[in-house]
């Protein structure tokens, strides 16, 4: 494997994964064109609630991709089917529970964040409609993970782009033509999520290189592989809870600095998501190659995957930091014409320029561990990074306000990179033995 092979997977995966935050970014940008910062704040809070719920189950995509890649490497077709069927069962159950518990979930979220009255009203409008797409969104997570793991990259790209183009078009129509404001933004996202799920099911059926036959309940819940999946998912859930702790504290504290700062932070966080998902594209490529290497115990492929992950972490971080610094005058006005919000965003945007340099290794190396379905080190590195964040949060924020908040976030991102890099030699040892670990370390 060389750079060309790696990029042949990474580039379409970057295009595919970067469309994921577009659901939130487009909603935020459209809300930013309305007459009050409360609109963009309401959509930002509503989006954060769904990020919270869906990120809790983000393992549905990540672990599915790892198990599917390993089944592809070992050429085990029955395991390929089970790699999708098992997480779909969890997705359906969790999505229905979100719908049933929507009122207490909304109440708890708004009580925790405590936005002002108008922002809370718009956030409630957004939440109460979009919640009905929960089962479809979670099933789509499973489908996307499976398609990526099976190296069906063009199909993955088609699914992501079609869903997000639909969301953009409907956002524009509902807000600018029918003047539905926040309700229209939420309806556009709901329709896009349901349609994306249906298209995904059709793409799996028509593009899979095997006949799909539903497994029996006994095979589906076979204790040994099901336990392995649940252990991986448990560690990914803990990792996600750590992420949510950081992002929810960040948003809640930002809300206390006023509507303009909350809106500015929302815009900068959306830009951060776009950068993070560029790294996620590289991580997904690394995950697929690492999964294949583990599936067929190919140490050379694993070593080359690790080397290319290091190189493209550095290259992509440099390009993103320099690119944002040069183009920020063009990027920020795309989100809102409100001068007060733009001025606030410009005050704090230096932290976004530094983010790629701090976060790149943690976000890309994550793919190596997920492809190997060895998630314990990811969980541990995230926990340690949260401790770094909390230390900065309780010291820097009182001293420096919103700048201190962004400093805490940057230190958290740097901690993820440092602690996960420290775990790589141990992963190599577990997979291929002491000699391989020593070779990789050298």
């Amino acid at each position: 494997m060389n750079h060309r092979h790696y990029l042949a997977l990474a580039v379409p995966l970057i295009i595919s994964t970067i469309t994921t935050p577009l659901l939130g970014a487009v909603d935020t940008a459209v809300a930013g064109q309305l007459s009050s910062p409360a609109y963009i704040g309401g959509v930002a809070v509503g989006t954060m609630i769904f990020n919270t719920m869906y990120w809790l189950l983000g393992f549905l995509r990540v672990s599915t991709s790892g198990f599917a890649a390993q089944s592809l490497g070992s050429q085990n077709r029955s395991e390929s089917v089970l790699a999708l069927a098992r997480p779909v069962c969890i997705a359906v159950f969790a999505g229905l529970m979100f719908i049933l518990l929507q009122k207490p979930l909304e109440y708890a979220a708004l009580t925790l964040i405590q936005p002002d009255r108008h922002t809370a009203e718009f956030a409630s409008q957004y939440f109460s409609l979009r919640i009905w797409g929960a089962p479809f969104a979670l099933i789509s997570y499973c489908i996307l993970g499976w398609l990526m793991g099976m190296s069906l990259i063009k199909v993955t790209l088609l699914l992501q782009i079609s869903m997000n183009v639909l969301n953009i078009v409907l956002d524009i129509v509902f807000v600018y033509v029918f003047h539905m404001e926040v309700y229209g933004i939420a309806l556009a996202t709901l329709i896009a999520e349901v349609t994306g799920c249906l298209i995904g099911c059709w793409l799996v059926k028509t593009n899979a290189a095997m006949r799909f036959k539903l497994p029996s309940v006994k095979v589906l819940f076979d204790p040994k592989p099901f336990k392995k999946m649940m252990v991986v998912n448990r560690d990914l859930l803990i990792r996600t809870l750590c992420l949510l702790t950081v992002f929810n504290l960040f948003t809640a504290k930002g809300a206390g600095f006023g509507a303009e700062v909350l809106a500015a932070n929302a815009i900068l966080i959306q830009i951060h998501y776009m950068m993070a998902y560029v790294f996620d594209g590289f991580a997904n490529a690394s995950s697929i190659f690492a999964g294949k290497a583990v599936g067929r115990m190919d140490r050379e492929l694993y070593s080359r995957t690790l080397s290319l992950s290091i190189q493209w972490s550095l290259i992509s971080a440099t390009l993103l930091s320099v690119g944002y610094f040069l183009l920020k005058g063009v990027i920020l006005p795309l989100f809102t014409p409100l001068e007060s919000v733009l001025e606030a965003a410009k005050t704090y945007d230096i932290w976004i320029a530094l983010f790629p340099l701090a976060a790149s290794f943690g976000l890309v190396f994550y793919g190596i561990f997920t492809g190997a379905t060895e998630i314990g080190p990811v969980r541990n590195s995230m926990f340690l990074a949260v401790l770094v964040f909390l230390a900065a949060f309780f010291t820097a924020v009182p001293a420096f306000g919103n700048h201190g908040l962004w400093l805490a976030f940057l230190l958290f991102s740097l901690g993820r990179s440092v602690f996960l890099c420290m775990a790589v030699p141990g992963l190599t040892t577990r997979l291929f033995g002491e000699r391989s670990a020593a070779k990789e370390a050298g």
Side-chain angles (χ1 to χ4, degrees):
M1 182 180 66
N2 53 32
H3 287 281
R4 183 174 60 84
H5 296 127
Y6 187 78
L7 291 176
L9 268 185
V11 171
L13 283 169
I14 290 170
I15 297 171
S16 173
T17 55
I18 205 171
T19 61
T20 299
L22 279 178
L23 285 174
V26 170
D27 288 351
T28 302
V30 172
Q33 310 306 311
L34 299 174
S35 58
S36 168
Y39 286 109
I40 191 172
V43 172
V45 170
T47 299
M48 190 208 72
I49 296 172
F50 282 100
N51 285 344
T52 300
M53 297 191 311
Y54 293 164
W55 281 358
L56 283 171
L57 294 165
F59 59 75
L60 291 173
R61 182 188 68 80
V62 177
S63 67
T64 300
S65 179
F67 285 115
Q70 290 183 19
S71 70
L72 180 63
S74 62
Q75 297 295 305
N76 190 326
R77 293 191 172 188
S78 62
E79 281 301 315
S80 295
V81 174
L82 290 167
L84 177 59
R86 287 178 178 133
V88 164
C89 293
I90 300 174
V92 172
F93 175 78
L96 293 176
M97 290 302 296
F98 283 151
I99 291 175
L100 290 173
L101 299 174
Q102 60 180 283
K103 291 301 181 183
L105 286 170
E106 179 186 345
Y107 176 79
L110 293 179
T111 300
L112 176 65
I113 300 170
Q114 295 184 334
D116 63 62
R117 182 173 62 85
H118 293 297
T119 300
E121 179 183 347
F122 293 134
S124 180
Q125 289 179 19
Y126 184 88
F127 177 88
S128 61
L129 182 56
R130 190 179 164 187
I131 188 64
W132 295 96
F136 301 95
L138 294 176
I139 292 172
S140 293
Y141 276 24
C142 303
I143 292 172
L144 284 170
W146 189 85
L147 291 173
M148 289 180 184
M150 298 300 293
S151 295
L152 295 169
I153 307 305
K154 291 182 180 179
V155 177
T156 305
L157 185 59
L158 173 63
L159 175 58
Q160 291 283 72
I161 290 179
S162 62
M163 183 170 67
N164 286 284
V165 167
L166 178 62
N167 181 56
I168 292 170
V169 172
L170 292 178
D171 262 340
I172 294 170
V173 171
F174 290 157
V175 173
Y176 296 116
V177 177
F178 296 110
H179 306 289
M180 297 171 69
E181 298 179 334
V182 171
Y183 188 85
I185 294 171
L187 181 60
T189 305
L190 170 63
I191 294 173
E193 287 174 337
V194 174
T195 305
C197 178
L198 298 177
I199 293 174
C201 292
W202 177 75
L203 289 172
V204 167
K205 184 177 184 299
T206 56
N207 288 274
M210 78 279 291
R211 181 184 176 188
F212 260 86
K213 181 180 179 182
L214 290 178
S216 66
V217 174
K218 181 179 179 181
V219 172
L220 189 62
F221 296 102
D222 183 29
K224 186 175 180 180
F226 197 80
K227 180 181 178 182
K228 168 68 173 175
M229 182 189 74
M230 294 307 295
V231 167
V232 169
N233 290 342
R234 177 204 64 194
D235 289 341
L236 286 169
L237 176 60
I238 294 171
R239 171 228 180 224
T240 303
L241 288 171
C242 291
L243 272 175
L244 292 175
T245 298
V246 170
F247 281 103
N248 288 348
L249 284 174
F250 184 95
T251 303
K253 179 58 71 173
F257 294 131
E260 280 77 16
V261 172
L262 174 62
N265 282 353
I267 290 172
L268 295 175
I269 280 293
Q270 291 298 335
I271 296 171
H272 141 272
Y273 284 140
M274 302 296 284
M275 291 178 171
Y277 276 85
V278 170
F279 292 124
D280 199 46
F282 288 111
N284 285 329
S286 297
S287 178
I288 291 169
F289 284 120
K292 288 181 180 178
V294 172
R296 57 184 186 232
M297 292 305 295
D298 187 337
R299 187 167 62 186
E300 183 178 350
L301 177 59
Y302 169 84
S303 300
R304 189 60 180 154
T305 301
L306 187 57
S307 173
L308 289 171
S309 298
I310 293 171
Q311 294 176 62
W312 283 101
S313 293
L314 292 170
I315 294 169
S316 56
T318 303
L319 291 176
L320 285 172
S321 289
V322 173
Y324 177 75
F325 185 80
L326 294 176
L327 298 174
K328 61 182 180 179
V330 176
I331 294 172
L332 291 175
L334 295 175
F335 286 89
T336 181
L338 300 175
E339 285 298 327
S340 61
V341 176
L342 283 174
E343 286 303 313
K346 292 174 183 176
T347 301
Y348 304 109
D349 69 352
I350 183 62
W351 301 106
I352 292 298
L354 295 173
F355 167 76
L357 300 173
S360 60
F361 282 106
L363 293 173
V364 175
F365 275 29
Y366 170 61
I368 300 288
F369 288 86
T370 58
T373 59
E374 291 280 345
I375 311 301
V378 175
R379 174 201 63 205
N380 296 340
S381 65
M382 186 66 70
F383 180 76
L384 293 172
V386 170
L387 294 181
V388 172
F389 171 81
L390 292 174
F393 182 84
F394 289 112
T395 56
V397 176
F400 304 109
N402 200 50
H403 276 299
L405 187 60
W406 278 103
L407 173 61
F409 181 76
L410 193 74
L411 290 175
F412 163 74
S413 302
L414 180 62
R416 292 175 67 181
S417 293
V418 171
F419 296 129
L420 197 57
C421 286
M422 292 170 61
V424 170
L427 173 68
T428 306
T429 298
R430 287 192 297 278
L431 294 177
F432 300 106
E434 296 288 347
R435 291 180 60 188
S436 179
K439 182 179 178 181
E440 299 300 335

